[in-house]
Amino acid sequence: MIWDWFRKNFERKAKEETTMTELLKAAKMSSDFVHNHHTKGSKSYWVSYFKTITKRELIHRDILPYLKEESLNSMEQLKREIPVDNILILKDVDEIQNKLYQGYVMIQFHEKDKKCLLIMASERVSRQVGISEVEFSVLGPKASFVEDLNINMNLMRQRFPLPQLTFKELLVGKLSKTRVVVAYIDGIASEENVNTMMQRLGDIEFDDVIDTSLLQQLISDNANSMFPLTINTEKPDRVAGQLGNGKVAVFSQGSSQAVIAPTTFFESFVAREDYYMPWLLATGFRLIRYFAVLFSVLASSLYVAVLTYHYEMIPKNILATLISSRSNIPFPPVIEALFLELTIELLREAGARLPTKVGQTLGIVGGIVIGQAAVAASLTSNVLLIIVALAALASFTTPIYKMSNTIRLLRFPFIVFAACWGGLGIVFCFSFFLVHLLRLTSLGRPYLYPFYPTRIKGMGETFLRFPFSHTPKRPPYAQTQDAFRYNPKRAKEKHDIDD
């Protein structure tokens, strides 16, 4: 028995020494790894770090001078004396390895010791907080998130200086080990939503997670849907508003956008700017946005259906114009529509990939030149050119970029179905997408709320922006712990100065 105990103890120590040796051996293969041995009288210690991700000034000013003191002979004493935050004493080699590659400095008294002191000295390159580039707004805050996770968390703390604002951090990605943070307001957000989000992030089996857009796909309820089941945003004010509504936000290191869940289909058409203007104006602009979406999706397909199958629907006053514009065109309406739609998409993609000034010039000049040349060459009609151009403009009214991309692609199946079966094909295609939307969920919550499940009051709040005095409740589909934003009775009370 005694011999077995000695043997097991010896094997355990050998394994620990080998593991630490392998850690250092693997790190030394990189040219930016520093592993120095220092001696001061009878005192000896090892300092290890990656010089490309650590603040060398901090190491030489706040760490190394304290290591030379003869009176500090234990890790606990060093931890108390070194004037740096975030100092850890660890024994687990895997944990030590993760911290080392995150910018920590490792201090050892002996090279093969598994017990070591880890001091945070990370230095990350990041840009300053600037104006949002994707979600531009005239009214309201202009600040946007950056690629530094700590700065993004700071922006949220500034908006919610509350102990209830909670951040839960975990590492995602087998290779990247990306820091991911789940943010929510304790006491408002549903515990089920928080636990579901944490579970999905923890279950991710992927090698490198470098952006929240990739996270959005990995945690989506349905990876085969073209509709965004979560909202990506670069604006802190939008995230703050959604956290106040009881939702959950996800941030990741290296990404300038946050993911918000759960969400609905109709929230993709709600701009944060709606809440910075009078409710009547916001309601009008919101209704225009919904009309623009329907026009963008259905305009070209209705043109194809009417000219192919339902010419009796064309008014007599417009019939002569259509006949003259299509008299020399050799292609059927479906080929004509697909040609113009693809041309518009090529111009948009080329403009997005080129430098800003060149892209703007290409979009304007290319659209004018190609449009005029196509009409002059009798490849398309003037009427369809106007319809396609208006449909492309209408798609830009969607505040969420990923939903705007979805609308761009939705037009093509509608055009094909309209060419095959006319108006009946449009109805069939619309029904197919409606059934698909009814089956979708966002973090387990119904995606097509308030139509499914049906909530009459929710329909009004979806298409209209009511005054703040008439919206005391948070969205019910998020299943928040606290359903009320404020007490509606007290909010409507009027007090004179003498009361």
Side-chain angles (χ1 to χ4, degrees):
M1 296 293 291
I2 297 176
W3 169 252
D4 291 339
W5 181 86
F6 276 112
R7 181 175 56 82
K8 289 181 180 178
N9 193 39
F10 176 79
E11 291 177 353
R12 180 176 60 82
K13 288 185 177 181
K15 183 178 180 181
E16 289 167 357
E17 292 177 359
T18 304
T19 305
M20 180 57 72
T21 302
E22 290 178 353
L23 186 155
L24 293 173
K25 182 180 179 181
K28 288 177 182 177
M29 294 177 65
S30 180
S31 60
D32 63 340
F33 181 67
V34 176
H35 181 62
N36 292 332
H37 181 219
H38 298 268
T39 57
K40 179 68 175 179
S42 61
K43 188 177 180 182
S44 174
Y45 55 89
W46 292 83
V47 180
S48 306
Y49 58 91
F50 285 93
K51 61 183 179 182
T52 52
I53 57 174
T54 52
K55 298 178 182 178
R56 304 189 69 181
E57 181 183 354
L58 184 145
I59 295 172
H60 291 281
R61 184 190 63 206
D62 299 329
I63 298 177
L64 293 182
Y66 292 88
L67 297 177
K68 297 177 181 179
E69 295 184 9
E70 292 286 345
S71 58
L72 301 178
N73 297 315
S74 67
M75 295 293 180
E76 289 73 15
Q77 289 178 331
L78 282 175
K79 183 177 180 180
R80 288 194 297 266
E81 294 297 327
I82 295 178
V84 178
D85 293 334
N86 204 347
I87 300 179
L88 306 173
I89 299 176
L90 298 177
K91 296 181 180 179
D92 186 88
V93 178
D94 292 332
E95 236 180 294
I96 293 171
Q97 185 179 29
N98 291 333
K99 296 297 181 183
L100 196 61
Y101 284 90
Q102 290 176 16
Y104 282 73
V105 178
M106 182 174 68
I107 310 296
Q108 298 170 284
F109 287 144
H110 302 284
E111 188 177 14
K112 295 183 179 181
D113 284 350
K114 73 165 187 174
K115 183 179 180 181
C116 60
L117 195 74
L118 288 152
I119 306 170
M120 181 61 170
S122 175
E123 181 176 35
R124 295 186 180 275
V125 179
S126 63
R127 59 186 174 96
Q128 296 296 319
V129 176
I131 299 176
S132 57
E133 298 179 1
V134 179
E135 299 174 71
F136 181 78
S137 61
V138 178
L139 302 176
K142 303 295 189 295
S144 68
F145 291 122
V146 296
E147 287 76 13
D148 193 306
L149 180 59
N150 293 330
I151 294 178
N152 295 339
M153 294 167 68
N154 176 275
L155 290 173
M156 300 314 303
R157 283 289 182 196
Q158 291 180 21
R159 285 163 174 77
F160 288 118
L162 303 170
Q164 289 84 5
L165 179 60
T166 306
F167 295 113
K168 289 188 175 181
E169 184 174 329
L170 66 160
L171 297 179
V172 178
K174 293 181 179 179
L175 298 179
S176 62
K177 301 293 183 183
T178 306
R179 291 174 60 207
V180 175
V181 167
V182 177
Y184 64 95
I185 298 180
D186 190 23
I188 296 180
S190 169
E191 292 184 2
E192 183 180 351
N193 290 341
V194 176
N195 294 335
T196 302
M197 181 63 76
M198 293 294 296
Q199 179 184 356
R200 292 187 182 181
L201 291 172
D203 291 343
I204 290 177
E205 290 289 337
F206 205 73
D207 50 359
D208 57 335
V209 179
I210 57 176
D211 191 76
T212 51
S213 297
L214 199 151
L215 274 178
Q216 184 183 24
Q217 300 175 55
L218 295 174
I219 64 176
S220 176
D221 293 48
N222 187 344
N224 298 320
S225 176
M226 63 190 302
F227 295 92
L229 301 181
T230 56
I231 289 181
N232 270 41
T233 180
E234 62 175 355
K235 293 182 68 64
D237 57 319
R238 179 183 281 272
V239 176
Q242 297 297 345
L243 290 180
N245 286 335
K247 298 186 180 181
V248 181
V250 179
F251 302 88
S252 70
Q253 179 66 41
S255 176
S256 61
Q257 292 190 331
V259 175
I260 303 171
T263 187
T264 66
F265 171 77
F266 301 99
E267 282 191 355
S268 296
F269 308 103
V270 175
R272 190 62 192 169
E273 201 172 7
D274 293 349
Y275 299 95
Y276 302 139
M277 62 179 66
W279 70 274
L280 285 173
L281 292 176
T283 297
F285 291 135
R286 189 176 293 183
L287 292 175
I288 289 173
R289 237 173 268 132
Y290 283 118
F291 170 78
V293 170
L294 287 175
F295 181 84
S296 178
V297 173
L298 299 176
S300 300
S301 58
L302 285 174
Y303 174 88
V304 172
V306 168
L307 288 187
T308 307
Y309 295 98
H310 313 293
Y311 9 82
E312 67 277 1
M313 295 177 61
I314 304 174
K316 293 181 180 179
N317 297 333
I318 304 177
L319 188 59
T321 304
L322 284 174
I323 291 174
S324 61
S325 66
R326 283 191 47 82
S327 58
N328 296 323
I329 297 175
F331 305 113
V334 60
I335 301 298
E336 180 188 4
L338 289 175
F339 169 74
L340 271 184
E341 290 286 358
L342 287 172
T343 302
I344 291 291
E345 293 304 320
L346 286 174
L347 286 173
R348 291 174 69 170
E349 281 297 307
R353 301 294 173 263
L354 290 172
T356 305
K357 294 181 179 180
V358 179
Q360 292 176 352
T361 304
L362 175 68
I364 297 172
V365 177
I368 295 173
V369 172
I370 294 177
Q372 288 183 344
V375 173
S378 297
L379 296 177
T380 183
S381 64
N382 292 321
V383 176
L384 182 59
L385 182 63
I386 295 172
I387 291 175
V388 171
L390 290 175
L393 286 175
S395 66
F396 287 119
T397 61
T398 306
I400 303 301
Y401 179 72
K402 289 195 173 183
M403 181 58 78
S404 177
N405 289 339
T406 300
I407 293 170
R408 288 167 57 185
L409 290 180
L410 273 180
R411 296 201 292 264
F412 291 97
F414 274 94
I415 291 173
V416 173
F417 275 77
C420 294
W421 298 289
L424 185 62
I426 295 176
V427 173
F428 179 78
C429 189
F430 182 82
S431 301
F432 173 81
F433 282 110
L434 182 61
V435 171
H436 175 68
L437 288 170
L438 287 169
R439 298 181 62 184
L440 293 178
T441 58
S442 174
L443 214 65
R445 308 300 181 188
Y447 186 60
L448 212 59
Y449 174 89
F451 286 93
Y452 176 76
T454 305
R455 298 291 184 270
I456 302 299
K457 187 176 181 180
M459 291 182 185
E461 294 177 354
T462 297
F463 296 102
L464 310 176
R465 208 226 85 183
F466 291 157
F468 292 120
S469 58
H470 290 73
T471 55
K473 288 188 175 182
R474 296 186 172 91
Y477 67 88
Q479 299 292 315
T480 56
Q481 298 184 49
D482 185 1
F484 287 89
R485 295 190 180 97
Y486 57 85
N487 189 311
K489 293 183 178 179
R490 287 205 304 267
K492 293 181 180 179
E493 291 178 357
K494 303 295 182 182
H495 296 282
D496 295 332
I497 193 171
D498 297 331
D499 292 347

